[in-house]
């Protein structure tokens, strides 16, 4: 996200007085260096312990000078924290930033939005929703850009939770504000979410057409590089269309980019989706290796959403390897995590795969119950098309007769 420029202390009606102590001077000097080197992550890696120490000292002070400096630390270093997967650290910095905003009576919308993004990345969806809604409320009059982007962030979260009806409504509001602001980059993000909606409904051709249209718009506006999100989603769509070679090409590009730029979250997600490609092709050894790497990365950065997806995937790998008891354990772990996250789409998927696992174990009653729960959830989410219902029934029949053909 674009973070607003610092509001200067001189704008206050009252003069700011503070004693420039050694810690304050150190914090000021290090901030100047961080601003100069903010795009050089190797330098920031080497200096981060000192920067964190300065931020911690500032967070424990009560003066307006320290509060302004603390907010500037957040502005300058938030992109670094996000790219390095330090989302839990970023949440703490935002909490300090909200306190500092009160001290200097500065508009907190951008801090709330940043906090929500970090909570969302950690899978703390209830907290993220509260932060986004607070950002929407406080920014409506004073900061239209933050207001629009907070609406967009909330809509994306609602999509991830499977609340498609309200998500479409929220996205529509975001699109209206972004169109008024002529913010083409973020408008393309809205259209990307609508493409994801069609993908979740199983309308692959519609989803692919929208993603390709977005990419053409990107090129026409002079943006030279395809976004991480577009690389990921094209990889996902082509995998579901069984064009595995093209899917792997996009996902490999994303993995390399994530590794080069030191973004563990990006690397983890691309690795996780590449594992699906190999599983779909029947290469269980490679799929399990990639899945294990994704789990390790998700654990490092504390991404509960990513972990819930990866444990479902591990359960599916065990199913394909005819280790149904192990599959049940991993799938139940995924199911419980997704219930805690209120990820209804994910919960329906876990139930679907548990039905298959119990079917292979000969526990037909339990299998039928889980299959019915899954179908019911898809129906209430509004994504149970005839094609999806038929696909699920065919999948269950395929596994029932012992033809262990993988479908995802």
């Amino acid at each position: 996200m674009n973070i607003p420029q610092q509001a200067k202390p001189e704008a206050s009606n009252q003069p700011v007085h503070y004693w420039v102590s050694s810690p304050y001077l150190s914090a000021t000097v290090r901030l100047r260096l961080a601003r100069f080197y903010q795009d050089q992550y190797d330098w920031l890696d080497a200096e981060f312990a000192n920067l964190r120490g300065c931020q911690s000292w500032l967070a424990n002070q009560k003066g307006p000078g320290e509060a302004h400096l603390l907010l500037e630390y957040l502005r300058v270093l938030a992109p670094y924290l996000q790219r390095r997967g330090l989302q839990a650290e970023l949440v703490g910095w935002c909490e300090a930033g909200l306190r500092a905003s009160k001290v200097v009576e500065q508009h907190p919308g951008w801090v709330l939005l940043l906090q929500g993004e970090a909570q969302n990345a950690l899978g703390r969806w209830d907290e993220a929703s509260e932060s986004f809604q607070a950002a929407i409320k406080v920014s409506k009059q004073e900061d239209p850009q933050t207001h629009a982007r907070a609406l967009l962030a909330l809509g994306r979260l609602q999509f991830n939770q499977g609340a498609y009806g309200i998500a479409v409504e929220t996205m529509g509001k975001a699109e209206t504000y972004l169109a008024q602001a002529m913010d083409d980059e973020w408008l393309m993000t809205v259209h990307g979410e609508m493409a994801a909606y069609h993908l979740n409904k199983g309308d692959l051709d519609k989803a692919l057409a929208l993603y390709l249209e977005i990419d053409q718009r990107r090129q026409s506006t002079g943006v030279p590089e395809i976004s991480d999100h577009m690389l990921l989603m094209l990889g996902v769509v082509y995998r579901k269309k069984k064009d595995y070679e093209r899917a792997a090409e996009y996902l490999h590009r994303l993995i390399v980019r994530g590794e080069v730029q030191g973004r563990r979250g990006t690397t983890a997600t691309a690795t996780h989706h590449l594992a699906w490609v190999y599983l779909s092709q029947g290469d269980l050894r490679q799929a399990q290796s990639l899945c294990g790497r994704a789990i390790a990365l998700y654990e490092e950065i504390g991404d509960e959403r990513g972990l819930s997806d990866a444990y479902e995937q591990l359960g599916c790998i065990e199913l394909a390897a005819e280790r149904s008891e192990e599959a049940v354990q991993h799938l139940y772990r995924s199911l419980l995590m997704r219930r805690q996250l209120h990820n209804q789409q994910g919960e329906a998927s876990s139930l679907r795969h548990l039905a298959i696992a119990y079917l292979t174990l000969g526990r037909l009653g339990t299998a039928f119950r889980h299959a019915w729960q899954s179908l019911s959830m898809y129906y209430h989410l509004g994504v149970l098309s005839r094609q999806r219902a038929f696909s699920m029934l065919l999948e269950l029949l395929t596994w029932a007769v012992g033809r262990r053909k993988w479908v995802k």
Side-chain angles (χ1 to χ4, degrees):
M1 64 173 286
N2 291 331
I3 299 173
Q5 296 299 310
Q6 180 184 20
K8 298 181 180 179
E10 289 78 8
S12 173
N13 293 328
Q14 299 296 324
V16 176
H17 299 289
Y18 50 80
W19 177 57
V20 182
S21 62
S22 179
Y24 185 93
L25 181 60
S26 176
T28 303
V29 172
R30 291 191 188 283
L31 176 61
R32 289 174 181 170
L33 289 169
R35 189 184 293 113
F36 184 80
Y37 291 107
Q38 61 184 307
D39 296 324
Q40 299 183 31
Y41 285 5
D42 289 342
W43 185 92
L44 290 173
D45 287 340
E47 187 65 16
F48 186 63
N50 293 322
L51 293 167
R52 177 192 278 142
C54 290
Q55 188 274 346
S56 179
W57 180 83
L58 289 166
N60 288 305
Q61 308 310 304
K62 298 181 180 180
E66 290 86 353
H68 278 294
L69 194 57
L70 179 72
L71 288 167
E72 189 64 10
Y73 262 80
L74 181 57
R75 288 185 180 90
V76 171
L77 291 171
Y80 166 79
L81 293 170
Q82 289 174 323
R83 292 217 170 194
R84 284 298 191 243
L86 300 172
Q87 307 293 349
E89 179 106 22
L90 181 54
V91 170
W93 284 40
C94 289
E95 290 170 352
L98 290 173
R99 293 193 295 271
S101 296
K102 290 182 179 180
V103 171
V104 296
E105 298 181 356
Q106 188 178 119
H107 184 267
W110 69 273
V111 182
L112 287 164
L113 175 54
L114 195 59
Q115 178 177 261
E117 289 174 341
Q119 291 163 335
N120 185 33
L122 290 168
R124 291 155 53 176
W125 285 356
D126 287 344
E127 296 174 35
S129 179
E130 291 177 4
S131 295
F132 292 145
Q133 291 183 51
I136 291 167
K137 183 178 180 179
V138 302
S139 63
K140 185 173 183 178
Q141 300 299 327
E142 298 184 46
D143 188 353
Q145 185 181 66
T146 295
H147 180 73
R149 294 183 181 179
L151 279 168
L152 172 57
L154 180 61
R156 296 174 80 173
L157 173 58
Q158 290 164 342
F159 266 133
N160 284 334
Q161 291 180 300
Y164 296 116
I166 192 170
V168 170
E169 181 180 342
T170 305
M171 283 288 181
K173 294 178 181 177
E175 186 173 15
T176 298
Y177 280 100
L178 292 167
Q180 291 172 353
M182 293 184 291
D183 193 331
D184 290 337
E185 178 185 352
W186 289 88
L187 271 173
M188 284 191 285
T189 302
V190 173
H191 298 157
E193 292 301 321
M194 295 307 299
Y197 171 60
H198 288 287
L199 177 61
N200 286 331
K201 288 181 67 176
D203 191 346
L204 302 183
D205 291 333
K206 178 66 174 178
L208 180 58
L210 284 170
Y211 283 127
L212 293 176
E213 178 186 338
I214 293 165
D215 193 43
Q216 288 175 353
R217 286 190 181 184
R218 172 192 62 80
Q219 295 179 43
S220 67
T221 57
V223 179
E225 192 174 53
I226 187 170
S227 70
D228 290 356
H229 182 69
M230 187 60 62
L231 283 174
L232 175 64
M233 297 315 297
L234 286 172
V236 172
V237 175
Y238 279 119
R239 172 177 61 79
K240 288 182 178 288
K241 290 178 72 67
K242 296 181 172 55
D243 189 342
Y244 300 126
E245 183 177 353
R246 193 173 296 182
E249 177 187 345
Y250 283 114
L251 294 170
H252 274 299
R253 285 174 61 186
L254 186 54
I255 289 172
V256 170
R257 184 186 291 181
E259 290 174 339
V260 169
Q261 298 179 353
R263 288 181 285 156
R264 291 176 293 174
T266 297
T267 304
T269 300
T271 300
H272 165 67
H273 283 282
L274 185 60
W276 282 125
V277 174
Y278 282 104
L279 178 56
S280 298
Q281 293 178 297
D283 189 341
L284 304 188
R285 182 189 62 79
Q286 186 74 313
Q288 188 155 19
S289 175
L290 289 166
C291 180
R293 186 186 179 206
I295 288 174
L297 287 167
Y298 282 136
E299 286 178 340
E300 284 179 18
I301 61 178
D303 186 342
E304 292 294 315
R305 162 67 189 275
L307 277 172
S308 72
D309 292 347
Y311 277 114
E312 178 193 39
Q313 183 178 72
L314 186 56
C316 293
I317 293 170
E318 297 289 5
L319 262 178
E322 302 186 17
R323 295 189 290 265
S324 299
E325 293 285 0
E326 291 85 347
V328 166
Q329 294 178 22
H330 297 309
L331 291 169
Y332 260 121
R333 183 169 184 175
S334 171
L335 177 65
L336 292 174
M337 294 175 76
R338 284 169 163 175
R339 282 176 174 167
Q340 290 175 344
L341 294 168
H342 304 295
N343 179 359
Q344 297 177 75
Q345 176 91 12
E347 187 178 342
S349 181
S350 294
L351 286 166
R352 166 193 158 201
H353 292 124
L354 276 166
I356 295 172
Y358 280 116
L359 189 63
T360 63
L361 290 169
R363 297 172 60 179
L364 302 185
T366 305
F368 177 80
R369 186 174 70 253
H370 285 329
W372 180 253
Q373 289 174 335
S374 177
L375 283 166
S376 297
M377 289 198 74
Y378 281 129
Y379 175 78
H380 288 298
L381 289 170
V383 293
L384 185 62
S385 62
R386 289 184 179 179
Q387 180 182 357
R388 168 167 272 165
F390 178 77
S391 176
M392 285 183 63
L393 291 173
L394 179 62
E395 180 183 42
L396 288 168
L397 288 172
T398 299
W399 284 82
V401 299
R403 295 172 57 206
R404 310 263 174 150
K405 181 179 179 182
W406 182 251
V407 180
K408 175 66 173 76

